[in-house]
């Protein structure tokens, strides 16, 4: 009953409240992003959601559009300035995702939504992560975030999808607050972000 009905009610109520209460913070971040990183302020990207349906994910921009002499975008490390790193380490860049939650495309807790091009690379077991709505945070995030390997992350995602409970979600949200305050697991070792998923376990 919680997963089928009450989880969505809580998601809607809490995301609407968060958007209202955090609107001054989001407005301030938007102005700073425009000044320091340029426009557009919101980074929009297609991700895979519940039942493998695509949707548009919203985040605050954290990278510049710096290019080399040939016009090609520079590597992520070169386009991620200190201000962008700060937004990621504090998770302020993810505040617009409350809008995705309000629309029903995401949940407060669930597997993080990934790129559609990964779909053919999943094993049948890994595809079960899409049996639930993707989340702003999830079991894999509180167990190590991007410091985990892909295989470890997917095992936690599938474990969550198989057993969704109210108290489990409460524990994950509480652990997420601690994780954000400690700024742990933001990126994978040796990389500005998470490496590409190529289908290995």
């Amino acid at each position: 009953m919680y997963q089928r009905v009450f989880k969505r009610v809580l998601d809607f109520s809490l995301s609407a409240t968060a958007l209202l209460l955090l609107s001054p913070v989001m407005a301030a971040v938007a102005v700073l992003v425009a000044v320091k990183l340029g426009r557009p302020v919101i980074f929009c990207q297609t991700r895979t959601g519940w039942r493998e349906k695509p949707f548009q994910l919203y985040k605050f921009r954290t990278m510049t559009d710096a290019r080399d002499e040939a016009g090609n975008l520079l590597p992520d490390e070169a386009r991620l300035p200190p201000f962008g790193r700060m937004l990621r380490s504090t998770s302020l860049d993810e505040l617009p995702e409350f809008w995705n939650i309000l629309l029903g495309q995401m949940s407060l807790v669930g597997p993080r939504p990934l790129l559609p091009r990964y779909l053919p690379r999943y094993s049948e077991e890994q595809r079960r992560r899409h049996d639930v709505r993707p989340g702003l945070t999830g079991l894999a995030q509180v167990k190590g975030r991007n410091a985990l390997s892909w295989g470890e992350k997917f095992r936690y995602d599938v474990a969550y999808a198989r057993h969704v409970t109210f108290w489990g979600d409460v524990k994950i949200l509480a652990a997420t607050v601690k994780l954000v305050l400690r700024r742990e697991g933001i990126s994978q070792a040796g990389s500005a972000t998470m490496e590409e998923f190529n289908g290995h376990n």
Side-chain angles (χ1 to χ4, degrees):
M1 182 62 72
Y2 168 69
Q3 183 177 353
R4 294 195 304 269
V5 180
F6 295 122
K7 184 174 171 68
R8 177 60 193 141
V9 173
L10 285 175
D11 283 339
F12 183 88
S13 302
L14 294 177
S15 61
T17 302
L19 286 169
L20 180 63
L21 296 179
L22 295 174
S23 57
V25 176
M26 294 177 67
V29 172
V31 171
L32 289 172
V33 169
V35 171
K36 293 180 175 291
L37 301 177
R39 298 175 182 273
V41 169
I42 298 295
F43 171 73
C44 183
Q45 188 178 56
T46 302
R47 298 289 179 95
T48 303
W50 185 34
R51 297 175 177 171
E52 300 186 357
K53 294 179 180 179
F55 72 97
Q56 295 300 305
L57 177 78
Y58 303 112
K59 301 178 74 171
F60 279 121
R61 179 180 187 169
T62 57
M63 290 186 179
T64 67
D65 288 328
R67 299 174 182 269
D68 60 21
E69 294 179 355
N72 300 312
L73 283 173
L74 294 176
D76 289 351
E77 292 83 356
R79 296 189 295 116
L80 185 61
F83 177 69
R85 291 181 185 276
M86 183 277 291
L87 289 180
R88 291 189 180 191
S89 68
T90 57
S91 295
L92 287 171
D93 64 316
E94 297 184 1
L95 291 180
E97 291 175 46
F98 281 116
W99 181 249
N100 291 116
I101 297 172
L102 189 71
L103 294 175
Q105 298 163 333
M106 290 178 60
S107 175
L108 286 170
V109 180
R112 287 296 294 167
L114 300 176
L115 299 170
R117 68 171 178 263
Y118 291 172
L119 278 174
R121 307 174 191 177
Y122 295 129
S123 67
E124 285 303 311
E125 179 74 1
Q126 291 168 346
R127 294 179 81 102
R128 294 198 61 178
R129 69 192 305 277
H130 300 116
D131 290 348
V132 294
R133 285 185 176 86
L136 181 65
T137 186
L139 184 59
Q141 279 58 54
V142 301
K143 293 295 185 179
R145 207 169 177 179
N146 286 337
L148 298 175
S149 68
W150 280 114
E152 291 170 322
K153 291 175 71 172
F154 290 149
R155 282 191 285 275
Y156 284 124
D157 288 344
V158 173
Y160 175 81
R162 284 175 167 167
H163 191 61
V164 179
T165 68
F166 171 74
W167 287 113
D169 282 0
V170 170
K171 290 177 181 178
I172 290 172
L173 289 171
T176 298
V177 174
K178 294 180 182 179
L179 189 68
V180 170
L181 292 176
R182 293 173 183 170
R183 302 189 184 186
E184 295 176 349
I186 307 303
S187 59
Q188 195 171 45
S191 175
T193 54
M194 188 70 182
E195 67 175 353
E196 178 88 3
F197 172 59
N198 294 310
H200 56 277
N201 293 322

